[in-house]
């Protein structure tokens, strides 16, 4: 499986590497933060792009119906969700779609519900657009599985609450929401007239025993009340192509969204991205299977490692290639915890606190790396913990 060997990205202007000095104060860390993969984007995607490059003109192009249809078929095959081509529109990025949806479905001063901890742009997009953040703290059960509390959520809703921003599967806590959870949440939103904007960019990275359910697929009513954000960025490691889509079944919501989209002129994207997108979804089944078997094995490795770790705990991620390490037993403040990983482990992880105050005492580790690199990283943590234990005894 050549595609899944370690790839040296240190000289390819990868943000994961180039921002090390700025983020961690040193280049001397193995970076395991931003959510892209240190494995090759599929070769068949590059073949399609190379083929397009044989043509000498790179002018304006709109995305082909075939590209959207390839995504529809993928969603049907992989998630049993039947979507129509006309529900889909191009977006340069999922975060841009979040901003566009916030402006399309609410006014300045309105409230947007967000479950914390969560991917930081969920907070910033609400604030940058002058809406009020209503934060719902996710809870943890005794095993460490996160859940939302529907009765508390209900009390947080006011007349000004217009949107629920849902992260499904959830970054950083790795939850793949179960059907009854989504149905309860969906029913509350329908009852209260709240539009669901569901970021499902991690939908294809789901581990054995779990199933991603697009919330829009659960009923006709939920389909009509939901805006789903999708894309090739995570599944095919294509963030650098700057392409994603927004799926809206409701004609009314589609119209509102489309007006806002025109105001900011999303346009229709770049030729090479269109080609890459279409190829990714058309020919991706086998590649995706291999990807998942590699990620599953890395995930299992971390779980096993954490089972032996006296201090770092983890609830098995159900989806995403992100491990949410519970480091609270180390007894360090957030600044010291971050420094421990940088200075003592030589690793550049994402600090839990950057995902909201509920992330205090946690660190997020991106395990979409080669098995070899993951082993090295885990050993670095184990060694640092051992040294720390030893020092504390002397
Ligand atoms: C939940 C979630 N949404 C969106 C993004 C970013 O997507 P894009 O690069 O298309 O804006 C990420 C990246 O980590 C993510 O985890």
């Amino acid at each position: 499986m050549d595609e899944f060997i370690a790839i040296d990205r240190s000289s390819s202007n990868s943000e994961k590497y180039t921002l090390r000095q700025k983020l961690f104060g040193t280049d001397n860390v193995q970076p395991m933060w931003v959510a892209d993969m240190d494995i090759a984007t599929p070769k068949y995607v590059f073949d399609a792009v190379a083929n397009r490059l044989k043509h000498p003109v790179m002018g304006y192009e709109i995305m082909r119906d075939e590209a959207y249809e390839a995504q529809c078929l993928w969603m049907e095959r992989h998630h049993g969700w039947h979507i129509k081509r006309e529900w889909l529109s191009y977006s340069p990025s999922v975060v841009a779609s979040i901003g566009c949806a916030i402006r399309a479905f609410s006014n300045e001063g309105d409230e947007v519900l967000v479950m914390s901890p969560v991917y930081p742009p969920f907070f910033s997009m609400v604030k940058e657009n002058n809406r009020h953040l209503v934060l719902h703290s996710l809870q943890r059960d005794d095993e460490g599985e996160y859940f939302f509390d529907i009765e508390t959520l209900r009390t947080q809703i006011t007349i000004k609450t217009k949107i629920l921003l849902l992260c499904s599967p959830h970054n950083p806590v790795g939850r793949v929401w179960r059907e009854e959870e989504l149905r309860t949440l969906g029913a509350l939103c329908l009852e209260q007239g709240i539009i669901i904007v569901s970021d499902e960019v991690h939908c294809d990275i789901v581990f054995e025993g779990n199933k991603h359910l697009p919330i829009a697929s659960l009923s006709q009513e939920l389909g009509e009340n939901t805006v789903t954000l999708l894309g090739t960025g995570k599944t095919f490691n294509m963030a650098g192509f700057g392409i994603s889509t927004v799926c809206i079944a409701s004609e009314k919501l589609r119209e509102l969204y489309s007006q806002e989209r025109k105001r900011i002129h999303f346009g229709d994207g770049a030729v090479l991205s269109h080609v890459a997108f279409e190829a990714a979804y058309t020919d991706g089944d086998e590649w995706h299977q291999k990807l998942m078997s590699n990620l599953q094995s890395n995930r299992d490795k971390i779980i096993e490692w954490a089972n032996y770790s006296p201090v770092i705990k983890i609830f098995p991620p159900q989806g995403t290639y992100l491990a949410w390490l519970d480091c609270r037993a180390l007894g360090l403040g957030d600044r010291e915890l971050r420094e421990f990983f940088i200075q003592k482990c030589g690793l550049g992880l994402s600090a839990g606190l950057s995902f909201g105050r509920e992330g205090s005492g946690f660190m997020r580790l991106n395990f979409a790396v080669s098995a070899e690199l993951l082993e090295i990283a885990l050993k670095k943590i184990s060694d640092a913990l051992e040294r720390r234990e030893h020092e504390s005894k002397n």
Side-chain angles (χ1 to χ4, degrees):
M1 276 189 264
D2 290 339
E3 298 108 308
F4 299 101
I5 57 167
I7 302 276
D8 178 10
R9 302 178 68 198
S10 57
S11 58
S12 70
N13 197 27
S14 146
E15 158 179 338
K16 199 180 263 174
Y17 288 77
T18 55
L19 290 183
R20 280 184 295 188
Q21 186 69 40
K22 186 171 169 209
L23 293 178
F24 306 109
T26 169
D27 281 332
N28 199 19
V29 283
Q30 181 181 321
M32 304 182 88
W33 59 286
V34 68
D36 66 14
M37 304 195 264
D38 278 2
I39 58 166
T41 302
K43 182 177 174 306
Y44 70 86
V45 168
F46 287 122
D47 289 345
V49 170
N51 194 42
R52 175 61 184 81
L53 284 171
K54 287 181 193 155
H55 193 282
V57 180
M58 226 19 86
Y60 290 120
E61 288 188 16
I62 57 165
M63 210 153 126
R64 278 154 44 93
D65 283 339
E66 286 84 342
Y68 289 113
E69 274 150 16
Q71 187 178 37
C72 293
L73 290 171
W74 176 277
M75 294 313 287
E76 177 100 55
R77 286 200 303 283
H78 289 258
H79 305 290
W81 184 27
H82 181 69
I83 58 179
K84 294 188 181 154
R85 185 265 165 267
E86 62 267 28
W87 298 357
L88 294 168
S89 63
Y90 160 84
S91 164
S93 91
V94 174
V95 174
S97 315
I98 294 177
C100 189
I102 288 173
R103 286 188 300 280
F105 308 123
S106 67
N107 294 310
E108 290 203 3
D110 282 344
E111 295 168 352
V112 179
L113 262 175
V114 169
M115 296 173 186
S116 177
V118 77
Y119 178 57
F122 275 45
F123 307 128
S124 60
M125 289 320 269
V126 175
K127 290 194 219 152
E128 299 285 345
N129 285 293
N130 302 322
R131 273 65 171 170
H132 293 297
L133 259 178
V134 179
L135 290 178
H136 177 78
S137 294
L138 290 171
Q139 314 282 306
R140 288 161 56 88
D141 68 14
D142 294 344
E143 313 272 276
E145 184 177 67
Y146 281 81
F147 64 94
F148 52 81
D149 179 48
I150 201 74
E151 287 317 319
T152 307
L153 258 177
R154 184 186 295 280
T155 65
Q156 294 184 286
I157 293 169
T158 75
I159 191 96
K160 288 190 153 226
T161 317
K162 297 291 174 344
I163 299 173
L164 165 74
L165 264 186
L166 178 66
C167 194
S168 172
H170 191 95
N171 168 12
V173 309
R175 277 300 320 277
V176 172
W177 305 110
R178 285 184 283 274
E179 182 169 348
E180 73 276 12
E181 293 174 300
L182 292 172
R183 284 199 185 278
T184 316
L185 193 60
L188 180 65
C189 291
L190 284 170
E191 174 198 304
Q192 302 286 333
I194 294 170
I195 294 167
I196 303 167
V197 175
S198 188
D199 176 342
E200 304 194 5
V201 74
H202 292 276
C203 66
D204 299 313
I205 317 285
V206 168
F207 300 107
E208 274 163 31
N210 301 281
K211 180 162 171 45
H212 171 74
L213 293 166
I215 189 163
S217 74
L218 294 181
S219 70
Q220 167 95 15
E221 277 173 301
L222 280 172
E224 290 284 318
N225 191 50
T226 301
V227 170
T228 309
L229 315 181
L230 299 166
T232 44
K234 305 295 162 205
T235 314
F236 304 103
N237 208 20
M238 279 173 46
F241 275 107
I243 189 165
S244 68
T245 57
V246 176
C247 180
I248 312 178
S250 151
E251 220 170 295
K252 186 174 141 225
L253 296 187
R254 213 160 53 227
E255 180 51 31
L256 285 171
Y257 181 83
S258 151
Q259 284 167 11
E260 188 56 38
R261 197 179 172 277
K262 274 186 212 142
R263 269 177 225 129
I264 36 179
H265 191 76
F266 269 7
D268 216 58
V271 177
L272 297 182
S273 307
H274 298 162
V275 170
F277 178 98
E278 185 174 338
Y281 280 126
T282 306
D283 298 322
D285 292 346
E286 196 186 328
W287 190 87
H288 176 249
Q289 220 174 20
K290 280 191 203 158
L291 170 73
M292 286 317 296
S293 104
N294 278 264
L295 291 180
Q296 177 88 38
S297 132
N298 278 4
R299 168 202 181 257
D300 295 348
K301 199 167 283 162
I302 298 180
I303 295 167
E304 198 191 328
W305 169 84
N307 279 341
Y308 288 104
S309 166
V311 273
I312 296 184
K313 300 280 163 244
I314 181 176
F315 182 81
Q318 298 163 346
T320 81
Y321 44 70
L322 308 162
W324 186 236
L325 307 179
D326 179 352
C327 306
R328 290 174 300 172
L330 270 166
L332 296 172
D334 284 291
R335 187 193 291 255
E336 290 79 30
L337 180 61
R338 198 170 160 273
E339 283 304 305
F340 173 78
F341 276 89
I342 298 170
Q343 305 295 342
K344 310 288 185 196
C345 307
L347 297 176
L349 310 189
S350 308
L353 203 54
S354 62
F355 299 89
R357 66 180 169 78
E358 296 79 359
S360 174
F362 289 77
M363 296 293 286
R364 191 192 75 173
L365 179 147
N366 176 340
F367 59 86
V369 295
S370 65
E372 188 192 341
L373 218 75
L374 180 63
E375 262 163 41
I376 293 171
L378 296 179
K379 179 152 184 348
K380 282 181 176 175
I381 305 176
S382 298
D383 289 351
L385 288 172
E386 225 169 87
R387 282 195 303 274
R388 185 172 184 268
E389 170 79 11
H390 188 73
E391 280 160 18
S392 75
K393 282 189 184 145
N394 291 327

